[in-house]
Amino acid sequence: MTPLSTALQSPPAAPEILRRCRELVAPALTEAVGGLHPWVAEMAGYALGHCEMGGAPAVRGQGKGVRQALAVLGAEAAGGPAEAGVPGAVAVELVHTFSLLHDDIMDGDALRRGRPAVWKAYGTGPAVLAGDALFALAVETLTAPATPHAAAAVRHLSAALRDLVRGQADDLLFADRPWRGPESVRVGEYASMAECKTGALLGCALALGAQLAGAPRETVTALDRAGRHLGVAFQIADDLLGIWGDPAVTGKPVHGDLRQGKKTLPVLLALTASGGSALAELLGSSAVLDDTAVRRAATLVERAGGRAAALREARRQLAAADGLMASASLAPRPAEELRALLSSLAHRTI
């Protein structure tokens, strides 16, 4: 097996893995959303990329369906049928979409996947309502199957949601803390935030699939922990894209995170380096940086080694995920698909 930490190129199978899982989950996801109030269902469909405003079929493609794929593969890796992971796949996809709806409002992000965010398209109040509906629907989805694992699955999802809220709270609070000094954000605090905000749901997706397939507790725990390490790597990749990403790919303005003053890992690592003083002075000079200032900030982060150090930490997190997967008793073929997919996701090459 090729370790995640060294499989830096996207395997050709990764897009096919996602497509297969999306097609399996799509009928159940559509049915679940279709049970909502028609107006709320339209907003949910818009958020999921299924339709445009007014309900017309979507012009742009929908999201990759990362979390739903992890749930399906988690079930298969545990030795169960792919169908066993579908309720978990629907639940995590609904929760992920709910979190994006609310994140965009909290962060003031007007765009999501290159088009107006739900709160810009429908209004803030309606977007909050749609997010609440998706959250409730996710829990209902897990309780619907008459399986002996449903109650445990709901508890697992609830714990992941608690961590997701914790991570989001820390991320919001980081914004008011200084760039340097005793009250500044430490790298360890960032790692805890990223694990909760991003890793909790990725770990939950993998674990739910295995749990619904009847996997032993040790396997469920190993997959949950592997997904959490992946989540930190995933968040670091997102941080890098937030500074140096192509807007045509990310759907967001270039240097957006720097402009908003977000405490991302490349910046935090650059600030601890020997050349971090100039960066700290620049970031602390104004509440909002203009175009010239954000370009200079991005250059200073890179010169101080923040970009390279963040990439090293992402690879370290991938190695930890790889080790946890190797320690679990997984079915060989689904395990290989999981490894291929996780490597691709962490490096945003699909």
Side-chain angles (χ1 to χ4, degrees):
M1 290 186 184
T2 302
L4 290 176
S5 55
T6 58
L8 300 182
Q9 298 300 317
S10 173
E16 175 60 23
I17 293 168
L18 288 172
R19 184 197 62 77
R20 174 177 71 85
C21 294
R22 281 199 308 269
E23 290 182 355
L24 176 67
V25 175
L29 183 58
T30 300
E31 181 181 1
V33 172
L36 296 171
H37 182 285
W39 184 45
V40 178
E42 180 190 316
M43 288 188 283
Y46 179 87
L48 287 162
H50 297 171
C51 68
E52 302 296 336
M53 286 187 66
V59 175
R60 293 175 178 267
Q62 58 184 315
K64 297 181 181 72
V66 170
R67 289 150 190 85
Q68 55 185 282
L70 293 179
V72 170
L73 291 173
E76 293 180 320
E83 291 76 12
V86 169
V90 172
V92 294
E93 188 68 16
L94 293 172
V95 167
H96 175 57
T97 305
F98 137 73
S99 71
L100 294 182
L101 284 176
H102 288 190
D103 281 357
D104 287 342
I105 295 169
M106 287 184 282
D107 295 342
D109 288 338
L111 293 176
R112 168 67 60 182
R113 295 175 185 148
R115 63 178 186 168
V118 176
W119 71 275
K120 291 297 287 185
Y122 291 89
T124 302
V128 171
L129 178 65
D132 292 344
L134 291 173
F135 166 61
L137 186 58
V139 176
E140 181 184 348
T141 298
L142 281 182
T143 60
T147 72
H149 312 295
V154 171
R155 287 194 296 271
H156 206 123
L157 180 66
S158 298
L161 282 166
R162 177 197 61 208
D163 283 349
L164 189 154
V165 170
R166 180 186 295 274
Q168 183 64 47
D170 282 340
D171 194 33
L172 289 172
L173 289 171
F174 286 175
D176 295 325
R177 291 170 62 177
W179 289 105
R180 274 198 156 179
E183 298 301 318
S184 62
V185 178
R186 305 303 181 188
V187 171
E189 291 179 288
Y190 168 94
S192 297
M193 177 278 295
E195 179 185 332
C196 288
K197 180 183 176 183
T198 307
L201 198 54
L202 291 175
C204 180
L206 276 169
L208 278 182
Q211 199 165 39
L212 292 168
R217 179 177 298 179
E218 306 81 54
T219 300
V220 173
T221 300
L223 288 175
D224 182 79
R225 290 175 59 203
R228 285 171 177 265
H229 282 291
L230 170 69
V232 178
F234 198 86
Q235 184 62 55
I236 293 170
D238 201 51
D239 288 353
L240 292 164
L241 289 172
I243 300 177
W244 295 284
D246 181 355
V249 176
T250 65
K252 293 186 177 184
V254 68
H255 300 146
D257 285 353
L258 281 173
R259 199 179 304 276
Q260 294 176 18
K262 295 199 72 173
K263 306 297 194 299
T264 60
L265 187 63
V267 176
L268 295 178
L269 290 170
L271 288 170
T272 64
S274 57
S277 297
L279 176 63
E281 183 178 352
L282 175 61
L283 293 174
S285 64
S286 174
V288 180
L289 302 180
D290 60 22
D291 291 345
T292 301
V294 294
R295 284 195 297 270
R296 175 164 169 71
T299 299
L300 289 172
V301 170
E302 187 152 19
R303 285 179 181 172
R307 186 176 189 173
L311 282 169
R312 287 194 298 271
E313 177 59 20
R315 293 190 178 99
R316 191 184 73 80
Q317 293 290 338
L318 288 176
D322 185 58
L324 285 162
M325 287 184 59
S327 72
S329 299
L330 304 180
R333 182 176 176 277
E336 286 292 345
E337 288 194 342
L338 261 178
R339 288 170 179 273
L341 181 58
L342 298 190
S343 178
S344 297
L345 294 176
H347 294 280
R348 297 297 206 280
T349 54
I350 54 176

